[in-house]
Amino acid sequence: ATLTRACREAGIAPALVGDPTRLTTTKVRIVTERNQQVARIDYEIDTEIKDEIEHRVVAEIQKHAQQASAIVISDYLKGCITRTVVKAVVAAAAERHVPVLVDPKIPHVDYYAGTTVVTPNHHEAEIAANIRVRSEDDARGAARLFRDRAQCHSVLMTRGDQGMWLLAEGVEGHLPASAREVADVTGAGDTVIATLALALAAGATIPEAARLANEAAGIAVARFGPATVGVTELLKALDAVR
């Protein structure tokens, strides 16, 4: 009810599937006096959805994909993202010729076949590729191995203060970090994939979208707590680096 109300107040028509057998995930963050997060404790039920709940989720995807310009899968290993759900998203997106973007979790890496772009951080890419990422050559190898394993079209690997590595059709290379200082990385991955999705939906190429996402992430991590990035400040940041 709280989420539904918040969505409607923000002008969003929510398509929510309720599961009465699950409690709402509650996150407790432990931060220092200098506002640096050191740990987080989650209280939740994270078993995969199935049967009626999974069928309802797939039905909502098929219904609302008809109006979508891009589809984002944020996989938090909370149980909602199943192999069947991802297949339904990929199929629905193919009918509309719209991109599918994934913020991944490594236990599900083989769920993401056919998606447009997956955005692992370098730790996730290391695990999936079974190599250490310490240099640009390492990043190149990890991104290629990740793409092969996930069977996705493109990979945008986030590397913290080392920036990003993009692997897409005909494009491969390093994007330097844009952050001047880092206060809190909470929500940085969400900022990256949200900006990437919005840019692709508006007609940007993947390299153009990746550059926008990189600048947006630099703005977000300079603030404490989950931060939103406005269009005006993003444009200002882009002007500053031209």
Side-chain angles (χ1 to χ4, degrees), residues 14-200:
L16 303 176
V17 175
D19 184 348
T21 68
R22 291 172 183 259
L23 53 82
T24 298
T25 297
T26 301
K27 301 179 181 181
V28 178
R29 302 181 191 274
I30 300 172
V31 299
T32 68
E33 292 182 352
R34 298 179 62 185
N35 287 336
Q36 293 177 315
Q37 180 176 309
V38 295
R40 193 185 79 197
I41 304 168
D42 294 357
Y43 299 90
E44 62 191 1
I45 297 172
D46 60 4
T47 54
E48 286 200 352
I49 57 173
K50 57 182 180 179
D51 302 330
E52 180 191 357
I53 298 298
E54 187 177 55
H55 293 156
R56 288 170 58 195
V57 169
V58 168
E60 290 292 336
I61 290 167
Q62 293 170 336
K63 175 182 176 183
H64 293 281
Q66 302 307 310
Q67 291 79 44
S69 298
I71 301 176
V72 175
I73 299 173
S74 288
D75 194 348
Y76 288 92
L77 288 181
K78 305 302 184 186
C80 186
I81 305 303
T82 66
R83 191 184 301 274
T84 298
V85 166
V86 177
K87 284 184 176 179
V89 170
V90 170
E95 290 184 4
R96 286 272 299 161
H97 303 288
V98 299
V100 177
L101 303 91
V102 183
D103 190 349
K105 285 291 184 288
I106 297 310
H108 287 172
V109 69
D110 61 342
Y111 287 14
Y112 308 140
T115 58
T116 307
V117 56
V118 183
T119 61
N121 61 44
H122 73 277
H123 297 298
E124 292 165 336
E126 285 179 332
I127 295 169
N130 197 30
I131 63 174
R132 300 296 292 272
V133 177
R134 294 294 179 269
S135 66
E136 290 189 11
D137 284 342
D138 295 337
R140 178 182 294 105
R144 291 178 178 181
L145 288 168
F146 187 97
R147 184 173 66 176
D148 290 345
R149 185 173 173 190
Q151 298 181 56
C152 57
H153 297 293
S154 303
V155 174
L156 180 63
M157 182 199 314
T158 57
R159 300 183 60 210
D161 61 3
Q162 298 300 307
M164 299 180 178
W165 185 270
L166 174 64
L167 172 62
E169 184 177 356
V171 179
E172 188 173 20
H174 171 69
L175 286 75
S178 63
R180 304 296 181 270
E181 59 180 276
V182 177
D184 188 349
V185 298
T186 300
D190 298 324
T191 298
V192 167
I193 200 165
T195 307
L196 198 66
L198 183 60
L200 292 177

